[in-house]
Amino acid sequence: MTLSMKATCNSHGQDSSYFLGWQEYEKNPYDEVRNPNGIIQMGLAENQLSFDLLESWLAENPDIARFKRNGESIFRELALFQDYHGLPAFKNAMVQFMSEIRGNKVNFDPNNLVLTAGATSANETLMFCLADPGEAFLIPTPYYPGFDRDLKWRTGVEIVPIQCTSSNGFRITAPALEEAYRLAQKRNLKVKGVLVTNPSNPLGITLTRHELNLLVDFIDEKCIHLISDEIYSGTAFNSPSFVSIMEIIGNRNYQKTDVWNRVHIVYSLSKDLGLPGFRVGSIYSNDPLVVSAATKMSSFGLVSSQTQYLLSAMLSDKKFAKSYVVENQRRLKNRHEMMVNGLKSIGISCLESNAALFCWVDMRHLLSSNTFEGEIELWKKIVYEVGLNVSPGSSCHCVEPGWFRFCFANMSEDTLDLAIQRMKAFVNAINSSNGNAFSRNSSKSSRRKSFTKWVFRLSFHDRERER
Ligand SMILES: Cc1ncc(COP(=O)(O)O)c(C=O)c1O
């Protein structure tokens, strides 16, 4: 008996080089003691820098983790709770935390918040609410590779790229927005909205007020939606500070216009608190119909009640929440500096950035040819020979070959230092021998060749479809 088309179609996106790099890492993961020559995972946007702060809070509040309230067990209450509206105390704590991150310049109403199992579920749910199969969302490139899965796979929605380039630091421009809209029309796709990530994954930059205003003007004129995925909002460690789209439309007095109802935020605690395993995400929308539909859909991906209970207590501790955000940003800033300076010392520059858990690294000068074949060839060397799993720009649909995303917050400082040393040895070998001498693991070359062909074919298949 055959399976469904959804189960067997190839549009999930897990064949992208982004995920293939993870598979290679799984086969040979670096461990300081057990596998010191293994691959270092730099393709995973995890924040492991501030676990000690969360653990200290848990140690100081032992009753919470034991599911007690005022000394009494609430185990049974939590075990039975399954209301898809979520625990009111948790929704209150979430909106207060979201306001705190936005410098209290935006007030969020907990009634407009829908809880979801991570931002993954929030993004997909919004697609189900805002678009029908075959309709399109415009997204600036380069973008988070997971969007191909989250936004398209089960919904049948299409993504049309807004092409941004290094010529202006990958900033969104009015002509690029218009061009994407025109491209969608040429493909007979009805455009339902624009989706941006602010701060950007993979660029690590916050959107400027100018860009945010452009986006609002654009969706106003075209009568479409705007989704702002603000999952990295608490990570902005350098000025200019993070500005939420809700602040922009509030300042522009859009409250009484229909634009107000067409702007939606996605948020999650996976990055700012470093809790991707807890699966806590949310949709914030000013449109009651979207809130109502998304709430009903959220029963397919609820946040467990014990997680809501634990985090409502943690986030309602305002003193803790505030100091956590400040300290976490300070640590991210240090890591970012270490990464940027380390690469700079070997002649590799990064896009100037001020947020998130990664750098957007410019290695165009290391390509054997200025093509995506050249990019995959270099990526293969970095994974197999240098021993670092980084994400090639083509997996993020970047239009220029030679850019790579390097994550810096999912490892210890020593491991990051080792990663930089490995890059140093690689670049030195290239400089001294035109690139042919460096090899840490030459015995794996035949496996590498077939793997590379496969990745290359898949990456290019994706790119062809985009054109
Ligand atoms: C921009 C963006 N959106 C959504 C997600 C998914 O996050 P979650 O773990 O909350 O599902 C990620 C994860 O990397 C991301 O970078």
Side-chain angles (χ1 to χ4, degrees):
M1 183 60 79
T2 56
L3 300 184
S4 71
M5 282 177 36
K6 193 68 72 193
T8 51
C9 75
N10 200 19
S11 60
H12 174 271
Q14 76 175 11
D15 293 337
S16 130
S17 46
Y18 177 70
F19 294 113
L20 292 174
W22 288 7
Q23 286 171 22
E24 286 312 297
Y25 162 77
E26 295 294 342
K27 289 179 205 158
N28 181 23
Y30 168 78
D31 181 276
E32 193 183 342
V33 179
R34 287 186 301 274
N35 190 16
N37 287 322
I39 297 175
I40 297 174
Q41 175 61 291
M42 302 187 86
L44 191 54
E46 264 178 9
N47 180 6
Q48 298 184 16
L49 299 192
S50 299
F51 274 148
D52 59 314
L53 305 180
L54 303 179
E55 283 162 348
S56 298
W57 187 89
L58 286 173
E60 284 161 21
N61 297 274
D63 269 9
I64 304 295
R66 289 189 204 127
F67 308 127
K68 286 187 175 173
R69 187 194 295 133
N70 303 326
E72 301 269 314
S73 171
I74 54 161
F75 173 78
R76 292 178 183 202
E77 192 184 312
L78 290 176
L80 292 173
F81 183 83
Q82 50 176 317
D83 184 340
Y84 58 32
H85 291 97
L87 288 174
F90 179 55
K91 288 171 83 171
N92 272 325
M94 267 292 264
V95 293
Q96 278 169 23
F97 187 61
M98 287 165 68
S99 288
E100 172 70 43
I101 284 172
R102 287 154 186 80
N104 293 308
K105 289 180 186 150
V106 185
N107 279 325
F108 294 103
D109 178 349
N111 295 317
N112 294 353
L113 190 79
V114 181
L115 298 178
T116 59
T120 301
S121 171
N123 278 316
E124 190 193 56
T125 300
L126 272 177
M127 286 301 116
F128 275 125
C129 290
L130 307 180
D132 285 311
E135 295 182 333
F137 262 74
L138 311 180
I139 307 192
T141 61
Y143 64 77
Y144 164 53
F147 282 153
D148 292 321
R149 170 199 62 198
D150 304 350
L151 307 180
K152 289 164 58 176
W153 183 42
R154 299 198 299 185
T155 64
V157 169
E158 297 287 334
I159 294 176
V160 176
I162 300 164
Q163 299 199 335
C164 303
T165 65
S166 62
S167 63
N168 68 346
F170 296 96
R171 294 289 172 185
I172 300 166
T173 62
L177 286 167
E178 289 296 341
E179 177 58 21
Y181 196 83
R182 202 191 52 75
L183 191 74
Q185 285 181 322
K186 210 171 130 200
R187 288 172 56 189
N188 282 326
L189 297 171
K190 183 170 178 190
V191 176
K192 294 304 285 286
V194 180
L195 185 150
V196 293
T197 60
N198 181 25
S200 160
N201 179 3
L203 301 173
I205 55 176
T206 48
L207 296 191
T208 61
R209 283 180 189 273
H210 173 70
E211 288 175 290
L212 293 167
N213 280 312
L214 264 185
L215 286 162
V216 173
D217 293 342
F218 184 72
I219 64 128
D220 188 1
E221 188 212 317
K222 307 285 189 209
C223 262
I224 56 176
H225 294 273
L226 176 56
I227 300 174
S228 180
D229 180 336
E230 300 186 352
I231 188 171
Y232 295 99
S233 49
T235 66
F237 49 78
N238 255 349
S239 59
S241 56
F242 164 73
V243 181
S244 171
I245 194 69
M246 286 296 171
E247 183 185 332
I248 297 286
I249 56 169
N251 287 351
R252 287 176 63 170
N253 296 323
Y254 269 110
Q255 285 87 339
K256 295 216 163 60
T257 71
D258 63 338
V259 169
W260 188 249
N261 280 11
R262 285 193 268 114
V263 175
H264 322 276
I265 288 186
V266 163
Y267 186 55
S268 134
L269 299 180
S270 298
K271 312 297 175 179
D272 290 351
L273 279 196
L275 300 175
F278 278 30
R279 309 309 303 138
V280 183
S282 63
I283 295 169
Y284 188 89
S285 173
N286 297 315
D287 184 345
L289 286 178
V290 171
V291 172
S292 158
T295 303
K296 286 183 231 155
M297 288 184 200
S298 73
S299 54
F300 296 100
L302 293 176
V303 183
S304 74
S305 49
Q306 74 268 35
T307 299
Q308 291 188 51
Y309 176 66
L310 175 84
L311 293 175
S312 64
M314 188 182 271
L315 296 181
S316 315
D317 182 343
K318 285 197 181 156
K319 196 166 154 240
F320 168 76
K322 201 176 182 147
S323 63
Y324 173 92
V325 172
V326 172
E327 176 60 15
N328 184 50
Q329 288 170 354
R330 192 190 64 79
R331 294 179 186 188
L332 287 170
K333 184 180 157 115
N334 285 346
R335 274 309 174 83
H336 172 263
E337 253 170 45
M338 186 176 165
M339 172 106 252
V340 170
N341 292 339
L343 291 176
K344 196 171 165 192
S345 71
I346 49 172
I348 296 176
S349 60
C350 301
L351 182 77
E352 203 176 321
S353 61
N354 62 335
L357 314 173
F358 30 75
C359 289
W360 188 236
V361 180
D362 181 0
M363 296 203 283
R364 287 176 293 180
H365 60 294
L366 297 178
L367 297 180
S368 59
S369 67
N370 185 27
T371 61
F372 288 104
E373 289 93 330
E375 177 175 292
I376 293 296
E377 190 190 318
L378 177 61
W379 177 67
K380 168 192 76 176
K381 283 187 186 157
I382 294 172
V383 174
Y384 283 103
E385 297 174 15
V386 186
L388 308 179
N389 176 38
V390 297
S391 307
S394 51
S395 69
C396 304
H397 300 261
C398 186
V399 289
E400 288 172 28
W403 293 87
F404 293 78
R405 191 191 73 169
F406 281 52
C407 295
F408 54 69
N410 62 324
M411 65 193 79
S412 69
E413 211 166 278
D414 285 348
T415 307
L416 181 57
D417 189 47
L418 175 65
I420 293 167
Q421 295 313 320
R422 285 184 183 182
M423 278 304 290
K424 225 174 230 177
F426 176 59
V427 170
N428 286 344
I430 290 182
N431 290 342
S432 60
S433 68
N434 273 338
N436 295 324
F438 189 85
S439 181
R440 290 181 345 123
N441 288 313
S442 54
S443 61
K444 289 185 184 146
S445 73
S446 70
R447 200 178 104 221
R448 189 166 66 231
K449 263 184 206 141
S450 60
F451 172 71
T452 307
K453 266 196 210 150
W454 185 39
V455 171
F456 179 73
R457 191 164 41 78
L458 290 164
S459 302
F460 278 79
H461 179 64
D462 278 355
R463 301 197 62 74
E464 279 308 314
R465 274 189 293 141
E466 248 168 42
R467 284 195 187 121

